[in-house]
Amino acid sequence: MRTGSEPTTARSALRARFWLSVWGLVWAVFGTAAFALAGRPGWAVACGVLWLVITVDLTLILRHIRQGPHYQPGPGIPPYRPPENR
């Protein structure tokens, strides 16, 4: 049964997001170095900016992972509000 509260109770797949960010970080570092060595400063700056964005995102992901789950209902609490009229 759908209640409409799914977007507010949804949880992010932080571990998958972490590994995707690590993958992107590796490629951004490689791209920055490769374009800098190839004499393409514009592309090197673009990869450097991407590197910065990925690093900030990775920091936030690690912070959220360390915080842990904020609210976990007990076994007696249903995952949705029961229907009022049956």
Side-chain angles (χ1 to χ4, degrees):
M1 172 186 295
R2 297 209 176 256
T3 62
S5 67
E6 288 83 5
T8 59
T9 57
R11 295 187 59 203
S12 174
L14 288 174
R15 301 225 185 268
R17 197 170 144 198
F18 169 77
W19 288 111
L20 286 171
S21 291
V22 168
W23 179 252
L25 184 69
V26 168
W27 278 105
V29 170
F30 173 75
T32 303
F35 284 124
L37 291 173
R40 302 273 189 166
W43 284 103
V45 169
C47 286
V49 169
L50 186 60
W51 182 359
L52 179 66
V53 169
I54 293 171
T55 302
V56 170
D57 187 43
L58 199 55
T59 304
L60 291 175
I61 291 169
L62 288 173
R63 181 174 174 255
H64 285 288
I65 288 174
R66 285 191 191 125
Q67 284 179 345
H70 296 288
Y71 172 73
Q72 292 292 316
I77 300 173
Y80 57 86
R81 197 174 326 138
E84 296 170 4
N85 299 335
R86 275 215 163 177

